[in-house]
Amino acid sequence: MSLKGKASANSSAKHIENHWPPYPPPKETDLDKALRVEEEREARRVSDAIDRELESERQAVRRRQKEETRLLLLGQSESGKSTMLKNFQLAFTPKALQAESDAWRAVIHLNLVRSVNFIIDLLSNTVAPHSTPYGSSYHPHGSGRTPQHSNAGDTSPTVTSFTHHHRMSATPQPSAEIRRYKLALSPLRQVEMILAKQLSVHDAGSSRGSIPNALSSGRASEVSVRGGRGWKSLLRRRAYEDLPTTNYPEELENARQILDACRADIVSLWASSSVQLGLSEEGVALQEQSGFFLDQAERIADIEYEPTFDDILKARLQTIGVEEHRLVMETAAETGQQWVFYDVGGARGQRASWVPFFDDVNAIIFLCSTAGFNEVLLEDRTVNRLLDSFNLWKTVCTSKLLGSTQFILLLNKTDILEARLKSGIQFSSYVKSYKEGNDLPHVIEYLRKKFIAMHHHHSPQPRQLHVHSTCAVDIDTTLAVLMRIRDAILVTNLIATDML
Ligand SMILES: Nc1nc2c(ncn2[C@@H]2O[C@H](COP(=O)(O)OP(=O)(O)OP(=O)(O)O)[C@@H](O)[C@H]2O)c(=O)[nH]1
Ligand SMILES: [Mg+2]
């Protein structure tokens, strides 16, 4: 047989092998035939069942994708991602947010207590803030002129976390007044310890080793817990009613009572002119830091305190890892819809965990803190925050996985930006290419154009981009922006599912 003949014999044998149902064997008895036909029928039945199952799974995925809107919040640490998510919760799932109130109260209390312990440590000259990377220019959020703290994953009280990181101050002995506050407010060390322990009780062990940047956050009221399941539900009353072994409610009640007993001293500590003088001599402006509640201590340390939505928006809880938040819409117009938010940790060490979420979202909401123009990153004090946001934006725009994803850019923290510009800080001193006036509208317009140009230049294909300026701690103005975001996303989803 020729080679060609062999090849054609082989291919016809293969053809017979692959044929379904298989050709009958040459010498088949009636019984064999009946058995074969029955086997073939059964095989066909199983195969059809598998096909039907696959098709119904495909339809379920399509249905889920139609019913579910998936959004990924991106941006550097402290750009306001989690705060924006809280605004979405407030607008569309207010009851669910209200149910988390106990958890947020613990965070707010921890923010407050850390500020108090920080002041006492600083002014009783156990420690002094480390020097700024920019000589004498003070950058409240990023300069590092605040002592470092352990995060909630490290349950040791504030004072112990100073010892390794800070030089001893050359200042002489603390004043009698500070010594008195130190004594009177010493029970707050225990409150800090209780709250930190309770907030980090889930996964604390696993998160502690993996988040060096969070451990050295250097912020008076910084709190971080491992994201995802756990910490909020843990603090819901009904969540621990069934767990007789936990002593959480008692511990929490103790902490609240101690805080309430210290209330008058906390208020007078913050009102003390010598404390204010001491802080300003050290170049520390606590009121400009995230999670600042000292000016509300009278109300917040009260045993009856219930957090308001404004308080919840201002609470600072650093996100570690990626948190999934499923919002089942409570509002009439959106009832039944589900929006799934992926809220990521924005610090540099966290960014590698973003990518797996890129190929499964309807839209990206990217936040840039416009106030970052005169700040540096906590995790790398040589990097300007605005520059870091530009670079991050470039990277996100360039991603092929996000090629056809809708983009929403929020130029956030406009209130802080405006206050700084009004106080005389020149935007052009930090952004050399800026030539316009030192006022909010001009600076925002400059940033808007800059981000749009980068998007245009770096995107692999044309794509929708919506830009808004926001102040995420202002409920009313943010609500108006959220409605526009909702409309834009819904319209895009309808187009994508051929319903328009
Ligand atoms: N004044 C002001 N504060 C804001 C604004 N947006 C957010 N904040 C505050 O800034 C702090 C940080 O905001 P977050 O939402 O926790 O920041 P994040 O982007 O989630 O940060 P990571 O979780 O570390 O990635 C919080 O205390 C917020 O209350 C704003 O527009 N204006
Ligand atoms: Mg966050």
Side-chain angles (χ1 to χ4, degrees), residues 81-82 316-319 343-344:
K81 300 178 292 298
S82 304
R316 168 60 177 156
L317 180 71
Q318 188 191 19
T319 310
D343 180 19
V344 306

Coordinates of all heavy atoms in Angstrom, one line a residue, residues 81-82 316-319 343-344, ligand 2:
K81 N -12.0 55.3 49.3 CA -12.7 54.2 48.7 C -13.8 53.6 49.7 O -15.0 53.6 49.3 CB -11.8 53.0 48.3 CG -10.7 53.4 47.3 CD -9.8 52.3 47.0 CE -8.9 51.9 48.2 NZ -8.0 52.9 48.7
S82 N -13.4 53.3 50.9 CA -14.3 52.7 51.8 C -15.4 53.7 52.2 O -16.5 53.4 52.5 CB -13.6 52.2 53.1 OG -12.6 51.3 52.8
R316 N -12.2 56.0 60.6 CA -11.1 55.6 59.8 C -10.8 54.1 60.1 O -10.5 53.8 61.3 CB -9.9 56.4 60.0 CG -8.6 55.9 59.4 CD -8.7 55.7 57.9 NE -7.4 55.2 57.3 CZ -7.3 54.5 56.2 NH1 -8.3 54.2 55.5 NH2 -6.1 54.1 55.8
L317 N -10.9 53.3 59.1 CA -10.6 51.9 59.3 C -9.9 51.4 58.0 O -10.5 51.4 56.9 CB -11.9 51.0 59.5 CG -11.7 49.5 59.6 CD1 -11.0 49.2 61.0 CD2 -13.0 48.8 59.5
Q318 N -8.6 51.2 58.1 CA -7.8 50.9 56.9 C -8.2 49.5 56.4 O -8.4 48.6 57.1 CB -6.3 50.9 57.2 CG -5.5 50.7 56.0 CD -4.0 50.4 56.2 OE1 -3.7 50.0 57.3 NE2 -3.2 50.7 55.3
T319 N -8.4 49.4 55.1 CA -8.8 48.1 54.5 C -7.6 47.3 54.2 O -6.6 47.8 53.6 CB -9.6 48.4 53.1 OG1 -10.6 49.3 53.4 CG2 -10.1 47.1 52.6
D343 N -14.0 46.3 47.6 CA -13.3 47.4 48.2 C -11.9 47.0 48.6 O -11.7 46.1 49.4 CB -14.0 47.9 49.5 CG -13.4 49.1 50.2 OD1 -12.5 49.8 49.5 OD2 -13.7 49.3 51.4
V344 N -10.9 47.5 48.0 CA -9.5 47.0 48.1 C -8.7 47.9 49.1 O -9.0 49.0 49.3 CB -8.8 47.0 46.8 CG1 -9.6 46.2 45.8 CG2 -8.5 48.4 46.2
Ligands
MG2 MG -10.5 51.3 52.7

